[in-house]
Amino acid sequence: MKAGERGFAPIIYVALISCALLASVAARGPRPEDSAISRAHASFAPKPPWAPRLDSLVDSLERSGRAGAVSVSRRGITLYKRGFGDAARDRRVRNTPETLFDIGSIPKTFTAVSIFQLRDAGKLRVSDSLGRFFPSAPPDKRGITLWQLMTHSSGLQLYIDTTGGDFELLNRDSALALAFQQPLRFPPGTREAYSNTGYTVLAAVVEQACACSFEHYVREHVFQPARMTQTFFWGDRALPRYRGLVAGGYVAGVSQGSPRTWPRTWAATGANGVASSNGDLLRFAESLRTARLLSLESQREMQTTPFRRYAAGWDAYRVDSGQVISKGGSSEFGFKSQLRRHPAEAVSIVLLFNAVTSSEDQPHQQFGPKVSEIVLGRPFVH
């Protein structure tokens, strides 16, 4: 056999083996792993044409001294994900799309979803008043409805704690006692004013309705069905095992600590107190879009704004460019967050920050609309 013929023979042999394998697959039918491979290929998305513009924006954020991660998905397919800056400056650990961040007030959406799930299960009504769940509530609070709590129209105070921080160690009874002792800011249902206290009270309502802990309910009925495997409450024993993936907070370059060591307390329950990743928040948004967590009819009800801005768990508004459903969060520890949903386009955007330039810096509010503009090709300013 000539040299050329010897080189060609292995090719013929490999081709024959490949044909035999294909015939075998056809005969036995597809295996589960074949489907997994198909799904992996199906979820692959080429780099979108707007990615260079978003890269340029993220580069500018890092140059300014900020740090965090940005992700974009459409119909459950991730189109863009990128971390920037440091998660832990002392150890030179960089942020990635899988880094865990404190997500500020985004957990209010988990609380509102839980209330609507329990409503759909017949355990409560959003028109129920606090007197149903807490008969000893004072007269001025007894008539407050769950809908008013969810839409920040209850009149309850902004914060429930007495120290002005999120770490005051309170149990449920002491938190409720403080909420009920504080004077109302206005008669319930007459206007809107943001209230973390209202969402702590809602978490206690969840416990009354489900006869379980708030954390247990949210893990079982929100995190698990949405496949949020990188989302933890403060004080969760699993968080220390994620030491290399949990971002620390920084304000003007000064360390502010990390949610990896922050305590679980009812000063934060229902309103904040959760660490999560870009990917998990995209999965949460997609689980809502596909009605995995809650019916679309219930979600439309959630997105109703009785006054100007606040819906149940979300900020909902419409501009000339379309509808935006969003929830942001901010803490004095350098963490800023925003989950943006564009229902008509089936697009979800997550911006998480762990380092800001000053205590007044609010990059999630400043740059969230810019990311929407880049991705959708039109301005989203309200």
Side-chain angles (χ1 to χ4, degrees):
M1 182 180 292
K2 296 179 181 178
E5 292 171 336
R6 285 197 303 270
F8 188 64
I11 296 174
I12 297 174
Y13 179 75
V14 170
L16 290 171
I17 293 296
S18 299
C19 289
L21 288 173
L22 287 171
S24 173
V25 169
R28 61 165 168 77
R31 296 178 300 181
E33 53 266 41
D34 297 330
S35 299
I37 292 171
S38 297
R39 286 195 300 270
H41 283 294
S43 64
F44 174 78
K47 190 173 184 179
W50 43 259
R53 288 188 62 203
L54 190 48
D55 279 335
S56 179
L57 176 63
V58 173
D59 290 341
S60 71
L61 289 171
E62 182 166 7
R63 286 195 301 270
S64 71
R66 300 178 177 99
V70 179
S71 295
V72 181
S73 71
R74 183 176 185 274
R75 299 190 183 280
I77 297 175
T78 300
L79 304 178
Y80 184 95
K81 58 180 181 178
R82 180 179 167 188
F84 61 97
D86 289 335
R89 295 188 177 186
D90 58 332
R91 295 181 286 124
R92 304 302 298 172
V93 177
R94 298 279 293 175
N95 280 320
T96 74
E98 289 73 42
T99 300
L100 307 189
F101 297 79
D102 176 66
I103 59 172
S105 287
I106 290 177
K108 289 181 175 69
T109 63
F110 307 153
T111 304
V113 165
S114 299
I115 291 290
F116 269 86
Q117 287 177 339
L118 290 164
R119 190 281 300 271
D120 292 348
K123 300 292 183 65
L124 52 77
R125 296 170 297 181
V126 296
S127 60
D128 284 340
S129 65
L130 289 182
R132 172 184 170 184
F133 303 97
F134 311 108
S136 61
D140 63 333
K141 315 292 193 314
R142 201 173 298 153
I144 294 173
T145 67
L146 305 187
W147 179 250
Q148 291 167 349
L149 292 171
M150 288 189 288
T151 57
H152 300 281
S153 56
S154 68
L156 292 178
Q157 293 291 325
L158 175 58
Y159 296 111
I160 202 168
D161 58 275
T162 61
T163 62
D166 292 321
F167 303 140
E168 183 175 0
L169 297 179
L170 300 174
N171 60 28
R172 189 184 81 166
D173 291 344
S174 58
L176 284 175
L178 286 171
F180 291 155
Q181 289 169 10
Q182 295 171 332
L184 290 174
R185 289 184 282 178
F186 51 83
T190 60
R191 62 185 180 92
E192 64 180 6
Y194 199 79
S195 175
N196 290 287
T197 301
Y199 273 80
T200 297
V201 175
L202 284 168
V205 169
V206 170
E207 292 201 342
Q208 294 286 87
C210 74
C212 63
S213 75
F214 174 74
E215 289 84 355
H216 176 81
Y217 183 89
V218 174
R219 286 191 189 102
E220 292 288 321
H221 297 273
V222 180
F223 296 168
Q224 288 189 16
R227 298 169 186 156
M228 298 167 67
T229 60
Q230 291 182 307
T231 302
F232 304 93
F233 291 98
W234 293 354
D236 193 308
R237 287 178 294 178
L239 261 179
R241 297 201 298 269
Y242 284 81
R243 185 173 186 271
L245 295 174
V246 183
Y250 299 88
V251 177
V254 179
S255 175
Q256 306 295 317
S258 166
R260 185 179 64 86
T261 59
W262 292 348
R264 191 263 188 195
T265 170
W266 270 82
T269 299
N272 45 68
V274 174
S276 188
S277 67
N278 278 52
D280 265 15
L281 292 177
L282 288 180
R283 282 184 279 275
F284 172 63
E286 180 64 9
S287 294
L288 289 172
R289 189 189 72 82
T290 58
R292 181 190 295 269
L293 294 178
L294 199 63
S295 72
L296 297 180
E297 181 180 357
S298 290
Q299 291 186 58
R300 282 190 290 272
E301 186 177 349
M302 284 184 73
Q303 294 161 15
T304 303
T305 53
F307 291 96
R308 180 176 179 272
R309 173 180 177 181
Y310 299 123
W314 299 93
D315 296 351
Y317 54 93
R318 182 175 293 279
V319 295
D320 291 342
S321 303
Q323 186 185 31
V324 184
I325 308 296
S326 70
K327 184 59 194 166
S330 176
S331 79
E332 65 266 41
F333 309 112
F335 290 97
K336 314 291 176 179
S337 59
Q338 192 166 84
L339 170 57
R340 301 175 63 82
R341 300 167 57 209
H342 297 274
E345 296 82 4
V347 166
S348 299
I349 297 168
V350 177
L351 299 92
L352 301 178
F353 293 87
N354 67 301
V356 293
T357 59
S358 70
S359 58
E360 291 78 30
D361 188 21
Q362 304 290 334
H364 59 307
Q365 296 176 357
Q366 181 181 356
F367 295 102
K370 290 186 177 182
V371 175
S372 291
E373 179 178 349
I374 289 171
V375 172
L376 299 175
R378 57 189 189 276
F380 275 87
V381 179
H382 72 290

